């Protein structure tokens, strides 16, 4: 069986190789600031199955250099399999105006290059709906999704996917939109544990793999 890690972060190459031996063959490796972007490309050159994701995380908006939009466009132009992430809104963290500005610009650029986006959203759903409503063509993946049925219903208007690392909200997520992530080095800490997580959640790995194909290609 082939597995994928729908959302993780930079890890040592050996960690990805070990996961690959357990059947986890593709990884969306997210970044949180521009200084990590070259690192994810170096990783892609060392390990098979890496999908680089370039983003400025809402926790690190203060560190974004003045030319970050130019850098993002350059990276997306050079790496056609790359996505945009991790981006989003986090109302538990400071500087919502700057978070909103960077999130909107990131979505704008993702739309220009027709790339999926990995979204972190904490207590900011009203703002998120308002902004995302202007970018309906975008395919968002809500990572570590923790919303309820009402939020899912609203997100059905978008071409949204949901990735989780536990069973807490699995019942409200449409079957064909569910993905599994490690969020390593946080979360379940190691992408090699994804097959165990899928077994613990009583999920059929074949349909998760199918959802992954849809997410990448539809
Ligand atoms: Zn993450």
């Amino acid at each position: 069986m082939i597995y994928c890690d729908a959302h993780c972060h930079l890890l040592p190459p050996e960690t990805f190789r070990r996961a690959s031996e357990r059947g986890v063959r593709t990884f969306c490796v997210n970044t949180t600031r521009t200084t990590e972007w070259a690192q994810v490309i170096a990783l892609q050159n060392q390990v098979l199955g890496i999908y680089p994701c370039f983003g400025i995380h809402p926790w690190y908006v203060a560190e974004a250099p003045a030319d970050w939009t130019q850098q993002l466009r350059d990276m997306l132009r050079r790496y056609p399999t790359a996505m945009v992430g991790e981006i989003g809104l986090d109302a538990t963290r400071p500087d919502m105006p700057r978070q909103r500005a960077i999130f909107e610009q990131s979505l704008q650029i993702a739309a220009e290059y027709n790339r999926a986006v990995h979204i972190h959203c904490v207590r900011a759903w009203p703002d998120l709906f308002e902004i995302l409503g202007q970018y309906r063509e975008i395919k968002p993946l809500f990572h570590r999704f923790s919303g309820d049925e009402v939020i899912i219903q609203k997100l059905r208007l978008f071409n949204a996917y949901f990735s989780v690392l536990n069973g807490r909200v699995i019942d409200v997520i449409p079957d064909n939109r569910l993905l599994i992530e490690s969020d390593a080095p946080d979360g379940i800490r190691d992408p090699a544990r994804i097959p165990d997580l899928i077994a613990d959640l009583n999920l059929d790995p074949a349909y998760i793999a199918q959802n992954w194909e849809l997410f990448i290609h539809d």
Side-chain angles (χ1 to χ4, degrees):
M1 188 46 69
I2 299 294
Y3 299 87
C4 60
D5 186 345
H7 182 104
C8 65
H9 290 266
L10 288 165
L11 301 162
E14 308 78 68
T15 304
F16 290 106
R17 289 194 195 107
R18 250 190 299 110
S20 192
E21 283 162 19
R22 295 214 55 204
V24 189
R25 298 288 163 76
T26 46
F27 312 88
C28 289
V29 182
N30 280 254
T31 52
T32 59
R33 47 209 133 172
T34 53
T35 50
E36 291 181 340
W37 295 358
Q39 295 176 51
V40 75
I41 291 307
L43 180 70
Q44 188 191 36
N45 293 332
Q46 288 172 280
V47 181
L48 286 174
I50 302 289
Y51 285 79
C53 306
F54 305 114
I56 295 178
H57 192 284
W59 296 357
Y60 302 106
V61 290
E63 294 174 33
D67 68 342
W68 75 269
T69 55
Q70 189 53 51
Q71 289 191 42
L72 182 55
R73 287 191 170 93
D74 287 347
M75 291 309 243
L76 295 177
R77 200 175 300 126
R78 280 163 64 187
Y79 300 100
T81 64
M83 304 174 203
V84 173
E86 177 171 350
I87 61 171
L89 299 171
D90 191 329
T92 67
R93 298 291 177 127
D95 209 353
M96 277 304 273
R98 182 137 170 86
Q99 287 189 35
R100 278 186 63 122
I102 287 189
F103 182 51
E104 286 201 58
Q105 283 172 291
S106 303
L107 291 175
Q108 173 62 48
I109 295 168
E112 280 169 31
Y113 290 86
N114 193 23
R115 306 301 169 88
V117 299
H118 287 247
I119 296 184
H120 166 113
C121 182
V122 177
R123 297 198 197 158
W125 292 107
D127 290 53
L128 182 121
F129 287 125
E130 184 202 321
I131 295 169
L132 207 58
Q134 300 161 46
Y135 300 95
R136 294 204 180 258
E137 68 275 37
I138 278 183
K139 179 164 43 182
L141 182 155
F142 289 92
H143 112 89
R144 242 166 141 161
F145 180 71
S146 60
D148 56 18
E149 218 150 339
V150 176
I151 286 169
I152 288 270
Q153 284 311 323
K154 288 190 179 170
L155 289 173
R156 274 174 176 270
L157 300 170
F158 302 92
N159 188 16
Y161 286 76
F162 306 89
S163 79
V164 299
L165 46 66
N166 58 47
R168 232 173 281 150
V169 296
I170 238 166
D171 294 340
V172 303
I173 298 173
D175 284 353
N176 63 346
R177 296 289 168 154
L178 177 65
L179 295 167
I180 302 295
E181 66 175 84
S182 70
D183 205 19
D186 298 327
I188 61 167
R189 302 212 163 79
D190 187 342
R193 295 170 69 182
I194 285 205
D196 301 329
L197 175 60
I198 288 181
D200 289 348
L201 295 174
N202 258 318
L203 296 169
D204 174 1
Y207 97 74
I208 302 292
Q210 207 174 351
N211 290 352
W212 165 258
E213 288 298 318
L214 279 177
F215 173 66
I216 289 298
H217 299 296
D218 80 344

